[in-house]
Amino acid sequence: MRTEAKGTASGPVSGFLENPIVGMAPWIVFSLLVGPGRFELSVGLALATAVALIAASHLINRGSSWKLLELADVVFFASMAVVGALASEGTLRWLETYAGEVSNIALAVIAFGSMAVGMPFTIQYAREQVDPSHWHAPGFIRANYVITGVWGAAFVVAALAGAYGDLVLHNPNNIWTGWIIQILAIVAALKFTVWYPEVVRARAVREATGEGPEPPGPAGLLLPLAGLLVPIGIAVLIFDNMWWLGVALIVAGSLLTKRLSSES
């Protein structure tokens, strides 16, 4: 059951700001904009986004707690702004080339570091959406460790894919390492963040009462990933030479989506 903390506002905007994915918005802005000659601009806009989200969160949700991820956003991008202002042209070129890896590694450090200090970053958002009586429940705490760990793993996968494209293929715009693998990792973490709490809640109800709906199966988690295979296949057809793989992905995505839809 969800309860509103004293002094907080309710509604769609409030709910949006209570989502941990919102705390990643500055990183999304940064990754979309950064490129040759745009490091200072991308950092500046990411920092402005981080500050604006914190201000909105505390103005709309009065009494909202300070979030580790929000503070890390401001510290990281403020530091990058200082570095960008003082760096030489060579350093700036390096940052522009490896900005994706740097940001993904930083996010992985935040995720695993928050777990190491006993405060997985998702738990601060989750506490604003459940009754305080559940805050110290083992299942609630364990679920946030799992979700935060999945996000950390997704950032590691994205960082490794980007590094392979930059350092081995010498092609930061490679469709697989620069886009597809990284997007799939983040989408998987996004869907898991929604799917897993439903599983935990359903299990808790059945354990407590002996009845209730069955926990959602893996089909609900895999369905959006299967749906992505079709646009990925189209992208491969357009931007890659492996037309046969593009066709295979489109067919596989269509068949898997149909089957998983009937199971979920």
Side-chain angles (χ1 to χ4, degrees):
M1 180 179 66
R2 175 176 174 155
T3 60
E4 302 296 338
K6 183 178 180 180
T8 64
S10 60
V13 176
S14 176
F16 173 76
L17 293 171
E18 291 173 358
N19 194 312
I21 297 168
V22 174
M24 298 170 197
W27 305 86
I28 297 172
V29 170
F30 177 69
S31 62
L32 290 176
L33 294 178
V34 72
R38 300 194 300 273
F39 181 79
E40 295 94 331
L41 173 64
S42 59
V43 168
L45 290 177
L47 178 58
T49 302
V51 173
L53 286 173
I54 289 178
S57 177
H58 290 274
L59 286 174
I60 295 175
N61 295 341
R62 297 187 181 277
S64 176
S65 62
W66 290 91
K67 311 293 194 307
L68 174 63
L69 183 59
E70 293 175 342
L71 297 175
D73 291 348
V74 173
V75 170
F76 179 82
F77 289 112
S79 300
M80 288 295 99
V82 173
V83 171
L86 301 177
S88 63
E89 291 186 8
T91 301
L92 278 177
R93 283 196 298 271
W94 186 92
L95 288 170
E96 290 167 355
T97 301
Y98 298 106
E101 289 88 330
V102 170
S103 59
N104 280 312
I105 290 171
L107 282 167
V109 169
I110 292 170
F112 292 125
S114 69
M115 294 170 65
V117 300
M119 183 62 71
F121 74 82
T122 60
I123 202 168
Q124 294 175 302
Y125 296 90
R127 282 177 174 174
E128 295 185 348
Q129 301 182 49
V130 302
D131 190 281
S133 62
H134 298 299
W135 287 5
H136 302 291
F140 176 76
I141 296 172
R142 182 170 58 252
N144 279 279
Y145 270 96
V146 172
I147 293 171
T148 301
V150 166
W151 275 107
F155 299 138
V156 170
V157 169
L160 290 174
Y164 187 84
D166 288 339
L167 299 173
V168 179
L169 302 179
H170 304 291
N171 180 11
N173 293 317
N174 178 274
I175 188 173
W176 289 99
T177 60
W179 296 96
I180 293 175
I181 294 174
Q182 297 192 43
I183 290 172
L184 282 174
I186 299 304
V187 170
L190 284 169
K191 182 57 184 177
F192 188 85
T193 302
V194 176
W195 174 82
Y196 189 66
E198 295 177 355
V199 174
V200 172
R201 283 193 291 267
R203 288 175 179 171
V205 169
R206 291 180 68 86
E207 289 175 2
T209 65
E211 55 187 27
E214 286 284 344
L221 174 62
L222 298 175
L223 181 59
L225 299 180
L228 278 178
L229 293 180
V230 174
I232 287 173
I234 295 173
V236 171
L237 282 175
I238 297 173
F239 299 108
D240 208 337
N241 293 324
M242 295 185 292
W243 63 268
W244 56 270
L245 180 57
V247 172
L249 287 171
I250 292 172
V251 173
S254 300
L255 294 176
L256 283 173
T257 298
K258 183 177 181 179
R259 179 169 181 176
L260 292 171
S261 296
S262 64
E263 295 178 1
S264 64

